[in-house]
Amino acid sequence: MAFGSRDVDQGVVLLLGGRSEIGLEVARRLSPGRVVILAARRSDQLQEQVRELVTSEAKAVHCMEFDADDLSSHQPLLEKVIVEHGRIGVAVLAFGVLGDQARAEQDPAHAVAVVHTDFVAQVNVLTSLANLLREQGDGQIVVFSSIAGIRVRRANYVYGSAKAGLDGFARGLQDALYGSGVHLLLVQSGFVIGRMTAGMEPAPLSSTPDQVADAVVAGLYRRARTAVVPRALRLVFLTMHLVPPSLWRRAPR
């Protein structure tokens, strides 16, 4: 579909991070009549996710092994999806880790591991995916940034710096894809209440996976550049850069 179209591109729905709550909610909304690919580690243990998508009237659901940290596997996986299941309509990059900030400050290997998964691996997948979709002439990509990357906080600066890098890369890639027929939606969310944040105190203006997924699908239909969830965070983003460093360093996670 051309940029500005009011429909979601036809083709396979590819979920990279097949256990992601948000990713699955997006896939469930897009699944009726479509082939869905769930790509994740231990892909033979995704029966529950497959059942959920079949119940949502997916045409077919297939599982593929995907290790985000194995960069050399990304290109072959994407090519296999296209060869075996046809063109990619929507690719959702829903993998990532929060990591342990306290550990990362003491253990360089852990800090690097967080940045590798949340930034380096994303850049690798996005570059391969963008090239394949350019050749295809269409297709949509969903990238998840975070409030943590808008202005990095002392409380979670390792995760936040990875998201800041991803946010910048995705914006540059959007411009590089202009006129190619390929659409990239950058999702900027606040605190999301779910498995990934279990045990953490919800922050103000928190959202749920359902709310994020609704915003993602709406953004795909509108061919939006960004989806901020909840919308009230747009004002927060503007004011974050006005807070002086002496106060900002005490900001909670």
Side-chain angles (χ1 to χ4, degrees), residues 213-224:
D214 284 342
V216 169
V217 173
L220 288 172
Y221 273 94
R222 296 197 317 271
R223 295 299 197 273

Side-chain angles (χ1 to χ4, degrees), residues 41 67-71 74 95-124 144 146 148-149 152-153 155-166 196 253:
R41 291 174 176 171
D67 181 352
D69 291 327
D70 182 5
L71 304 185
H74 296 174
F95 61 88
V97 296
L98 276 177
D100 183 324
Q101 174 66 31
R103 178 184 170 191
E105 291 185 29
Q106 301 298 320
D107 179 1
H110 183 63
V112 170
V114 172
V115 174
H116 186 274
T117 301
D118 291 344
F119 179 57
V120 176
Q122 299 262 352
V123 167
N124 197 71
F144 289 98
S146 167
V152 178
R153 287 164 284 178
N156 65 345
Y157 66 78
V158 176
Y159 173 78
S161 64
K163 286 298 187 181
L166 178 60
M196 194 172 183
R253 185 184 185 97

Side-chain angles (χ1 to χ4, degrees), residues 18-208:
R19 292 182 178 83
S20 161
E21 289 176 280
I22 298 173
L24 284 165
E25 288 298 332
V26 173
R28 185 172 64 80
R29 286 158 172 73
L30 298 177
S31 63
R34 289 175 174 258
V35 174
V36 180
I37 309 295
L38 299 179
R41 291 174 176 171
R42 305 182 307 282
S43 59
D44 59 339
Q45 299 175 23
L46 294 172
Q47 293 89 346
E48 180 181 345
Q49 290 81 3
V50 170
R51 283 195 296 271
E52 179 181 345
L53 293 171
V54 169
T55 300
S56 298
E57 301 183 348
K59 181 179 180 180
V61 183
H62 303 282
C63 300
M64 300 179 71
E65 194 66 19
F66 171 64
D67 181 352
D69 291 327
D70 182 5
L71 304 185
S72 65
S73 71
H74 296 174
Q75 179 81 17
L77 170 70
L78 296 172
E79 292 175 348
K80 183 177 180 181
V81 169
I82 294 171
V83 168
E84 295 185 358
H85 304 289
R87 68 196 302 109
I88 295 173
V90 181
V92 182
L93 279 66
F95 61 88
V97 296
L98 276 177
D100 183 324
Q101 174 66 31
R103 178 184 170 191
E105 291 185 29
Q106 301 298 320
D107 179 1
H110 183 63
V112 170
V114 172
V115 174
H116 186 274
T117 301
D118 291 344
F119 179 57
V120 176
Q122 299 262 352
V123 167
N124 197 71
V125 170
L126 283 169
T127 301
S128 294
L129 185 59
N131 288 334
L132 289 169
L133 295 186
R134 277 193 190 97
E135 294 178 10
Q136 184 177 280
D138 63 0
Q140 296 179 271
I141 305 170
V142 179
V143 178
F144 289 98
S145 180
S146 167
I147 189 175
I150 302 301
R151 183 179 178 186
V152 178
R153 287 164 284 178
R154 185 263 177 270
N156 65 345
Y157 66 78
V158 176
Y159 173 78
S161 64
K163 286 298 187 181
L166 178 60
D167 195 284
F169 182 88
R171 289 181 182 279
L173 183 56
Q174 283 178 328
D175 292 337
L177 290 171
Y178 183 79
S180 69
V182 182
H183 166 229
L184 189 153
L185 172 65
L186 178 62
V187 185
Q188 297 172 312
S189 66
F191 188 99
V192 180
I193 302 169
R195 283 196 311 268
M196 194 172 183
T197 56
M200 297 170 61
E201 185 69 23
L205 297 177
S206 295
S207 56
T208 66

Side-chain angles (χ1 to χ4, degrees), residues 147 150 205 231-241 248:
I147 189 175
I150 302 301
L205 297 177
R231 290 184 181 179
L233 282 178
R234 291 185 183 274
L235 180 59
V236 175
F237 291 168
L238 291 174
T239 61
M240 283 168 65
H241 294 283
W248 187 252

